[in-house]
Amino acid sequence: MQRFQASWLVETIMDNITDLSASPSWFFPCVCLFSPMEWLAQRNTRVIMNVPVHSQAMLFKSWFSKSDIFPQEDILKAFNQILMKNIDININPFKGWLDTYFTKQQLDYLLYWREAANELNDEALKGTFLAIVSQVINYWLANNRVGLENTYKPDEILAFYYKRYRGFRDHLTDFKVTEQAVEGVKAEECSTVVFNLVFGDEDYLEDESQIIYNAWLNGYTDLEESRRNFSDELKRYVIELNSTKNFDFFKKMSENAKSAAFCWSGKGITPNFYQRTLITPLEHLMADRYQHSKLVYKCIDTSTDAYDYILLCY
């Protein structure tokens, strides 16, 4: 799983490339992490991103779309009804998640919301509603993971994220989302092209919340089935150390960019290892287009040698 901090990337760019600080624009040929993109979208900047995994692409398109389609208040009110009686846990396909990830009440609402969404004929409206529910799922998972009490009732938290969605849309900047296989992506004109590198030797290519949302969305009762489905899609975009098979892609995607940033996370490997296997080859690759390069990294956990990295070429 990769940690990607958009704020750290912006800070690195601003500290090293002063002529890009006035009007930065960003191009992500392949990305699946939602939170950093949400942060970046509200920073008065142009963002172009390609999301190749369908379940994530639907979220991004719904949340970041600049169209005028919004859930109507009466539709949200209908979806936000308070369940007056418990649903028999035995008929809930997600009953295996009880106590491990969700409470009984939360599972009742997840089943109800999924069935309500499936009744929508308008795909844009359905996508928006599902995107809002995904935020609720993340909220519950985060609280349950650390043992925090959920202050809001299910209908209240859904209403909260609906209002947050409306407020976010009011402040959305120039944002474009595409859903293409990486092979079909075209280079975009931008100040910085960003490559989020994912390595094949990582234990998990995905975030737990992504796996659970993917399972809920597609009706997988077994999280391992959801994990395999999600990982199989992501593995198409994995790079291998000591391999140049992705280099043509990096060159192609950066041809209209004033700078390029390679971002990755490492665990159990010291920074010196990457100098030989990744950093030097990438610097040589980009040398005919960019005169300068700089590596920045920070330690996340000294006990496991966990680091985050940015290689900036400009």
Side-chain angles (χ1 to χ4, degrees):
M1 183 183 73
Q2 184 200 58
R3 292 175 300 271
F4 173 59
Q5 294 178 300
S7 58
W8 185 40
L9 174 63
V10 172
E11 179 183 344
T12 301
I13 295 288
M14 299 306 153
D15 287 346
N16 292 278
I17 314 178
T18 55
D19 61 333
L20 297 183
S21 59
S23 56
S25 57
W26 312 88
F27 170 42
F28 295 81
C30 178
V31 67
C32 290
L33 297 176
F34 183 86
S35 296
M37 297 298 101
E38 183 182 29
W39 183 90
L40 198 59
Q42 300 179 80
R43 294 304 179 274
N44 193 29
T45 183
R46 182 169 179 259
V47 183
I48 304 169
M49 56 185 302
N50 180 58
V51 188
V53 179
H54 177 68
S55 62
Q56 298 303 300
M58 186 180 68
L59 287 181
F60 282 87
K61 289 178 179 179
S62 299
W63 201 260
F64 297 117
S65 172
K66 298 193 71 174
S67 66
D68 295 327
I69 300 176
F70 294 96
Q72 299 298 314
E73 293 287 357
D74 55 342
I75 295 179
L76 182 69
K77 183 177 180 180
F79 288 158
N80 221 5
Q81 292 176 1
I82 299 174
L83 297 179
M84 304 306 297
K85 60 180 181 180
N86 292 330
I87 299 176
D88 184 355
I89 190 64
N90 292 316
I91 68 171
N92 193 319
F94 311 116
K95 60 185 178 182
W97 305 350
L98 180 63
D99 296 332
T100 304
Y101 298 105
F102 301 103
T103 66
K104 171 62 168 58
Q105 183 189 52
Q106 291 167 355
L107 286 178
D108 285 352
Y109 274 89
L110 287 178
L111 177 60
Y112 166 61
W113 287 336
R114 187 174 188 276
E115 292 181 348
N118 288 335
E119 293 178 1
L120 281 174
N121 295 320
D122 188 317
E123 287 300 315
L125 198 58
K126 178 179 178 179
T128 299
F129 179 69
L130 292 174
I132 294 170
V133 174
S134 76
Q135 299 292 300
V136 177
I137 290 176
N138 289 339
Y139 167 79
W140 282 342
L141 287 174
N143 282 358
N144 294 347
R145 189 177 297 122
V146 296
L148 288 179
E149 181 181 354
N150 291 291
T151 305
Y152 295 100
K153 297 177 181 178
D155 60 301
E156 294 173 339
I157 192 62
L158 187 72
F160 169 82
Y161 277 111
Y162 168 70
K163 292 177 182 178
R164 184 172 179 269
Y165 165 80
R166 292 296 296 264
F168 174 79
R169 289 286 294 271
D170 290 341
H171 297 90
L172 189 63
T173 54
D174 188 358
F175 212 93
K176 176 184 175 182
V177 180
T178 61
E179 181 187 352
Q180 298 183 55
V182 165
E183 299 80 14
V185 179
K186 296 182 179 180
E188 297 277 358
E189 187 172 338
C190 62
S191 59
T192 304
V193 57
V194 183
F195 300 101
N196 298 98
L197 306 185
V198 182
F199 300 108
D201 59 351
E202 295 177 358
D203 292 334
Y204 296 106
L205 304 179
E206 65 291 314
D207 183 273
E208 183 179 63
S209 62
Q210 291 177 314
I211 293 304
I212 292 174
Y213 175 77
N214 188 58
W216 175 80
L217 178 69
N218 294 291
Y220 296 131
T221 58
D222 180 8
L223 288 182
E224 283 307 310
E225 182 181 5
S226 177
R227 186 184 302 280
R228 287 192 300 270
N229 171 270
F230 198 92
S231 293
D232 286 347
E233 291 194 70
L234 274 184
K235 284 177 181 176
R236 297 170 58 194
Y237 313 110
V238 164
I239 73 165
E240 302 293 340
L241 291 175
N242 295 316
S243 171
T244 60
K245 71 175 185 177
N246 299 89
F247 279 20
D248 288 342
F249 174 71
F250 296 151
K251 291 275 286 189
K252 178 183 176 183
M253 292 298 100
S254 60
E255 62 186 16
N256 295 327
K258 297 178 180 178
S259 63
F262 297 87
C263 307
W264 73 95
S265 299
K267 182 178 180 181
I269 300 176
T270 60
N272 289 337
F273 171 80
Y274 290 109
Q275 186 66 52
R276 180 183 71 258
T277 59
L278 183 64
I279 297 166
T280 297
L282 285 176
E283 288 176 330
H284 289 165
L285 174 72
M286 295 296 181
D288 62 341
R289 180 163 296 149
Y290 305 113
Q291 296 181 344
H292 308 284
S293 66
K294 182 174 183 179
L295 174 70
V296 295
Y297 60 88
K298 57 183 177 180
C299 184
I300 304 301
D301 185 353
T302 56
S303 66
T304 59
D305 279 332
Y307 291 83
D308 287 349
Y309 302 84
I310 298 176
L311 175 63
L312 182 62
C313 300
Y314 56 100

